[in-house]
Amino acid sequence: MTGEIVWHDLLTHDAGAAKRFYADFLGWDYQFEQAAHFAWSGGEASYPLIIRNGEAQGGILDVDLGLSSRWLPYVAVSNVDKAVARASDQGGQIIRQAFDIPGVGRTAVVRDPAGGVICPFHPSHTYPPPRGTFVSDTCFSADAQTTEGFYNRVFDWPARIIPVRPCPAGNENIIGWFPSLAVADIVGKVEQARGLGATLIVPSDFQEGCRTAVLRDPVGAVFGLIEP
């Protein structure tokens, strides 16, 4: 799994609104895990898991890291501490130093030089990553060359496959990673999302044989839609 994005968390300041939106929009269910010592914030807390087709696909974090609402991708690495050190050497900001999540693995929170946020992750289990809900990940950047160089050196991703796109015109403040979700009728789903309070950022167009669109959900997190 090294180099793969294997998990997604929605970082939000209104978990209730986020859960309602995605439940109404995509039919997601949730299962709550209660932790006596929640690794993200300390103390007792519940962690809503996103459930689709009976399988956990991601989670929702209601924690304050000084960041706006956004999706956090987790990249599998062989050693989180070394990835953090490389990120720092390449001009990245370490938002949260490496820490352990009991029964899950070790991770950290890193901001790239252009502002995108990502989590290097090493699992402490052997379960395969979930498939079918988050089908691709893209990074909007105001400096694509610097961003590509950073991720190439931190995660050893070949520059030709790093999915970096320029920030859309008029939305230069939208920087960072977002996942794309598979849908069967992208035009209809865009209208449904807007009716539920989402904002359209990039209208539906064709990218590499697929129809795509980018939106911002009602809590402020950017996400994409993709219709094969």
Side-chain angles (χ1 to χ4, degrees):
M1 296 188 298
T2 301
E4 287 189 40
I5 292 178
V6 295
W7 190 255
H8 296 83
D9 274 329
L10 175 59
L11 176 66
T12 175
H13 303 292
D14 192 340
K19 287 184 292 184
R20 288 191 298 272
F21 170 77
Y22 288 102
D24 292 342
F25 179 47
L26 296 170
W28 286 357
D29 294 316
Y30 305 99
Q31 176 180 311
F32 293 86
E33 288 195 348
Q34 194 72 19
H37 301 284
F38 191 48
W40 277 98
S41 59
E44 186 173 351
S46 62
Y47 173 52
L49 289 170
I50 299 163
I51 304 296
R52 182 174 178 270
N53 296 328
E55 183 181 10
Q57 302 287 330
I60 298 177
L61 290 173
D62 193 357
V63 296
D64 185 6
L65 295 177
L67 298 169
S68 58
S69 294
R70 66 185 64 214
W71 285 97
L72 291 176
Y74 292 71
V75 182
V77 297
S78 58
N79 187 299
V80 170
D81 298 80
K82 289 182 178 179
V84 168
R86 288 195 298 270
S88 182
D89 290 343
Q90 296 301 319
Q93 176 189 358
I94 313 306
I95 295 174
R96 183 165 184 189
Q97 293 287 349
F99 65 100
D100 294 313
I101 303 175
V104 177
R106 187 167 177 82
T107 190
V109 186
V110 172
R111 191 199 309 264
D112 70 43
V117 179
I118 202 164
C119 302
F121 172 70
H122 184 76
S124 58
H125 58 76
T126 58
Y127 298 112
R131 305 288 186 188
T133 296
F134 301 96
V135 295
S136 68
D137 290 83
T138 305
C139 184
F140 277 149
S141 175
D143 185 346
Q145 185 174 1
T146 297
T147 301
E148 289 175 350
F150 174 84
Y151 288 113
N152 174 258
R153 295 177 180 90
V154 173
F155 297 122
D156 196 27
W157 286 344
R160 67 181 182 276
I161 69 164
I162 298 174
V164 177
R165 293 171 59 183
C167 295
N171 291 277
E172 285 75 14
N173 63 325
I174 299 175
I175 294 174
W177 289 91
F178 66 90
S180 288
L181 309 162
V183 295
D185 173 16
I186 196 167
V187 174
K189 294 305 285 185
V190 165
E191 290 308 307
Q192 182 189 8
R194 295 177 70 182
L196 292 169
T199 303
L200 183 63
I201 297 171
V202 180
S204 175
D205 65 0
F206 284 97
Q207 296 282 338
E208 299 181 356
C210 298
R211 178 168 284 183
T212 65
V214 183
L215 302 98
R216 191 201 304 265
D217 69 27
V219 299
V222 176
F223 68 98
L225 298 177
I226 184 167
E227 179 184 356

